Amino acid sequence: MQRIFIVGLGLIGGSLIQNIKFHHPHIHITGFDCFDKFSEIAYSMGIIDEVAHDFDSAASEADLIILATPVQQSIEYSKRLLNIDTKPGLIVTDTGSTKLGLSTLESKLLNKDVHLIGGHPMAGSHKSGVVNAKKHLFENAYYVLIYDQVENEAAHSEVKHLLEPTKAKFIKMSAKEHDYVTGVVSHFPHIIASSLIHMNEENTQVSEYVKTLAAGGFRDITRIASSNADMWRDITLENKDHLVTLMNNWIEQMEQTKEVIEEGNPSLIRDFFQSAKEYRDNLPVKEQGALTSTFDLYVDIPDKPGMISEVTRILGQQHISITNIRILEIREDIMGALRLSFKSNNDRDRAIEALNTFDTYTL
């Protein structure tokens, strides 16, 4: 019987192992988390068969290890495998957002007949923890598998086969390419979002209305700044070389843009916005990318009693679940007075169809 050892029983680890458990019931799954209560919860949910209380002993019995832990913890656990008597042909994969640091261990682990296949499932949820694990979390999301050594091709195929029931879309990259791409589309935007928040806070000293009027579109475009600070500290440190390069490029671009604005050339200023609009309008709409997607719908409703309950009644009749509902006071560049958030793009599409049958709503 194949034995899988899952380390880290949060949302991602729990959802992965729940999927594997459902589609591969013959596999024995041992779970370990630095917080014992999460292991016990996973065991009570039936998504692991055994709780491990010691990493080394459980790792020595595993045929495959999944490290669903923060990046630097995954690196430390992988280093420990160099000093553990592991099974021949052991496969190790992770779920972290950076790979260059981990990839430095690939050759060393191969010398021990341990095959390291980096993994990055580009999926998430507004809810965390193993209690919110779900089999369909990775459906239609990109799942990047990373290795640099040709000796790991067979292990790559085995990991992909194991995870295919997730219905994720698999991409193969090198560690260097992965960290550059995710730096551009995920890591660097987090830095920019946090910088915009700091700029907003600093300017509240000039006018208290800076914070008040940031409640609308500004809050939406900077939502990723609310991510876990410890996690983003680790990601930034692990991908700092790429991020410094991207920041230098950004500074150069901002200098050029500043010169265009100072010059006051209407044509060049329009081109700046128009070219950005055209590129953005051609980005995939229904694909899940490196940033966690939010499925929001803006609804225009009249300001009279009972309208919000009417919206929720209509959606409830269609069994459409809302994850969040918010009344918008600042609606510049936003069509609608009510923002509804949904679990999936399908739920949002169904909500549009349901609400469009009523003349009251403009979506």
Side-chain angles (χ1 to χ4, degrees):
M1 176 181 290
Q2 186 179 19
R3 298 180 67 93
I4 290 180
F5 179 32
I6 172 78
V7 184
L9 290 161
L11 174 71
I12 298 297
S15 296
L16 269 182
I17 213 66
Q18 188 180 58
N19 202 294
I20 292 171
K21 181 72 173 174
F22 182 81
H23 293 284
H24 304 279
H26 59 285
I27 294 177
H28 181 89
I29 299 171
T30 303
F32 174 81
D33 196 284
C34 58
F35 297 101
D36 291 340
K37 66 177 182 179
F38 295 138
S39 300
E40 297 297 338
I41 291 171
Y43 181 75
S44 68
M45 292 171 65
I47 61 176
I48 62 173
D49 301 303
E50 179 184 354
V51 173
H53 298 286
D54 175 71
F55 174 85
D56 291 9
S57 59
S60 68
E61 298 174 357
D63 298 297
L64 187 144
I65 298 174
I66 299 174
L67 299 173
T69 53
V71 174
Q72 292 187 344
Q73 285 186 27
S74 294
I75 292 173
E76 291 305 312
Y77 281 129
S78 297
K79 287 179 179 178
R80 285 172 66 171
L81 294 175
L82 295 171
N83 300 311
I84 298 173
D85 186 16
T86 55
K87 285 185 176 180
L90 170 66
I91 297 174
V92 181
T93 189
D94 78 313
T95 61
S97 299
T98 59
K99 290 291 174 283
L100 279 172
L102 189 68
S103 70
T104 60
L105 299 172
E106 188 176 353
S107 294
K108 295 177 182 178
L109 288 168
L110 270 176
N111 292 333
K112 281 202 63 190
D113 196 17
V114 176
H115 302 267
L116 177 62
I117 306 297
H120 183 189
M122 295 185 175
S125 171
H126 64 291
K127 295 182 179 180
S128 61
V130 68
V131 293
N132 294 301
K134 51 183 73 71
K135 294 190 296 292
H136 64 268
L137 181 67
F138 311 101
E139 190 171 330
N140 295 319
Y142 287 109
Y143 200 124
V144 187
L145 295 176
I146 299 103
Y147 66 97
D148 293 327
Q149 305 296 324
V150 67
E151 294 90 342
N152 280 330
E153 284 185 4
H156 162 262
S157 297
E158 187 166 340
V159 171
K160 183 179 177 182
H161 172 72
L162 178 71
L163 299 176
E164 275 178 345
T166 62
K167 298 183 180 178
K169 292 178 286 190
F170 293 95
I171 299 175
K172 183 175 73 172
M173 290 187 190
S174 67
K176 184 177 181 179
E177 182 179 20
H178 169 272
D179 282 13
Y180 177 77
V181 171
T182 54
V184 172
V185 300
S186 176
H187 306 163
F188 185 63
H190 273 81
I191 293 175
I192 296 302
S194 296
S195 297
L196 288 172
I197 293 295
H198 286 302
M199 184 185 72
N200 184 281
E201 182 180 19
E202 291 168 3
N203 280 280
T204 57
Q205 300 173 15
V206 179
S207 172
E208 62 183 26
Y209 290 113
V210 169
K211 184 175 183 179
T212 302
L213 299 183
F218 181 85
R219 193 176 191 278
D220 288 342
I221 65 174
T222 57
R223 66 172 176 81
I224 55 177
S226 292
S227 301
N228 182 280
D230 291 336
M231 178 183 74
W232 281 100
R233 173 201 60 202
D234 292 353
I235 289 172
T236 300
L237 290 172
E238 286 295 319
N239 206 17
K240 65 179 181 179
D241 290 342
H242 284 138
L243 288 174
V244 168
T245 298
L246 291 168
M247 291 178 77
N248 287 332
N249 293 342
W250 172 267
I251 291 169
E252 182 179 347
Q253 185 184 103
M254 287 297 97
E255 287 291 341
Q256 294 171 353
T257 304
K258 185 177 74 170
E259 291 175 6
V260 168
I261 294 172
E262 287 176 339
E263 183 181 336
N265 186 315
S267 178
L268 291 178
I269 293 173
R270 184 186 184 280
D271 287 346
F272 171 78
F273 291 109
Q274 182 63 26
S275 61
K277 177 186 184 306
E278 290 174 357
Y279 181 82
R280 185 186 185 280
D281 288 349
N282 284 306
L283 292 175
V285 176
K286 295 187 177 182
E287 303 286 346
Q288 293 190 53
L291 293 175
T292 302
S293 299
T294 57
F295 305 101
D296 295 337
L297 178 63
Y298 295 93
V299 183
D300 194 15
I301 59 174
D303 185 12
K304 62 182 184 180
M307 294 311 302
I308 295 178
S309 60
E310 178 68 4
V311 169
T312 57
R313 182 189 66 79
I314 292 169
L315 298 179
Q317 287 178 338
Q318 301 298 319
H319 305 289
I320 302 170
S321 177
I322 304 172
T323 60
N324 195 13
I325 185 168
R326 182 175 167 214
I327 301 170
L328 301 175
E329 293 179 325
I330 308 299
R331 297 194 292 275
E332 187 175 13
D333 295 327
I334 293 175
M335 297 297 293
L338 194 68
R339 184 176 69 190
L340 308 176
S341 300
F342 301 90
K343 291 180 179 178
S344 67
N345 189 68
N346 180 58
D347 283 350
R348 181 174 58 186
D349 288 347
R350 289 173 58 216
I352 292 173
E353 183 178 354
L355 294 174
N356 268 337
T357 59
F358 293 83
D359 295 335
T360 308
Y361 310 99
T362 304
L363 306 175

